[in-house]
Amino acid sequence: LLSDGRLEKADNQMAHLESTLSEAHADVREYILNLHTAPSEERPFFATLQHYLDGFRQNYSIQVEVSIGEGVDAAVFTPEAQMELFRILQEVFSNARKHARADCVQLTFEVDSSLARIRIQDDGRGFDTTRAAGEGHFGLRFMRERAEQLGGRVLVESAPGKGTLVTVEVPVGS
């Protein structure tokens, strides 16, 4: 394009390549962060989550606000549930970065006598949830499958321009 003198088209192609490369770089950083972060006996759930969120904030400049309600601690969840919930949270935060292009994400943990509820609200672009129910939306499907393995569920509320609220509900002690 440059040798043909089509500078405007070359500029457009370079801008597209720069955007694609930047997104690929962010994806690689996220994969590395995800691979090196998981709850274990040595690293409790909430300490692992804090480490992950610190990296998320640093890597993507997305504000994250965390609220942990009274009575919520890692003992509410079995080790298996901790891992499944952690992977669900990673997917939600990845979606907030990649698809919603959120500036802020609020993460809330609550528990009552029989149910633990995790709410993740972003201020991003939102989407039409009826269109996301089809094929090709593996992240949402995998989140739901993980929650169902624990006897729980994932609810998604969103609309274009309104952000997204993901609620994960699992039985206490699951």
Side-chain angles (χ1 to χ4, degrees), residues 38-51:
S40 66
E41 287 183 27
E42 299 80 33
R43 183 181 264 169
F45 178 78
F46 285 105
T48 303
L49 180 60
Q50 187 62 53
H51 174 75

Side-chain angles (χ1 to χ4, degrees), residues 1-173:
L1 293 173
L2 288 174
S3 64
D4 290 344
R6 299 182 336 188
L7 299 179
E8 185 175 337
K9 181 108 173 143
D11 282 344
N12 290 339
Q13 285 287 4
M14 291 300 291
H16 176 72
L17 287 173
E18 180 181 26
S19 173
T20 301
L21 182 59
S22 178
E23 188 66 31
H25 182 255
D27 285 345
V28 169
R29 291 181 67 88
E30 184 172 344
Y31 295 140
I32 291 168
L33 178 63
N34 289 350
L35 287 173
H36 285 101
T37 310
S40 66
E41 287 183 27
E42 299 80 33
R43 183 181 264 169
F45 178 78
F46 285 105
T48 303
L49 180 60
Q50 187 62 53
H51 174 75
Y52 172 78
L53 295 176
D54 289 345
F56 185 84
R57 284 182 193 104
Q58 182 179 2
N59 287 339
Y60 311 116
S61 300
I62 296 173
Q63 181 181 350
V64 179
E65 300 169 2
V66 179
S67 173
I68 300 175
E70 189 175 319
V72 177
D73 62 30
V76 169
F77 310 112
T78 65
E80 177 192 1
Q82 291 178 26
M83 181 62 77
E84 297 298 335
L85 291 171
F86 189 76
R87 296 301 182 212
I88 290 170
L89 290 172
Q90 286 178 312
E91 181 65 28
V92 174
F93 276 86
S94 176
N95 289 344
R97 175 187 69 82
K98 290 200 290 193
H99 305 299
R101 300 182 195 262
D103 293 318
C104 180
V105 181
Q106 296 173 321
L107 172 60
T108 305
F109 290 85
E110 301 167 335
V111 67
D112 61 31
S113 61
S114 63
L115 192 68
R117 184 174 294 109
I118 305 168
R119 295 168 48 96
I120 311 97
Q121 173 79 51
D122 73 50
D123 66 351
R125 300 186 308 180
F127 63 99
D128 180 352
T129 57
T130 61
R131 299 179 88 203
E135 291 293 317
H137 295 277
F138 299 111
L140 288 173
R141 186 174 79 209
F142 292 154
M143 288 189 303
R144 287 187 171 116
E145 288 173 2
R146 288 178 185 275
E148 288 168 4
Q149 288 176 3
L150 302 172
R153 64 184 182 159
V154 172
L155 306 167
V156 179
E157 300 172 45
S158 190
K162 303 288 185 183
T164 300
L165 171 63
V166 176
T167 304
V168 182
E169 296 177 337
V170 294
V172 170

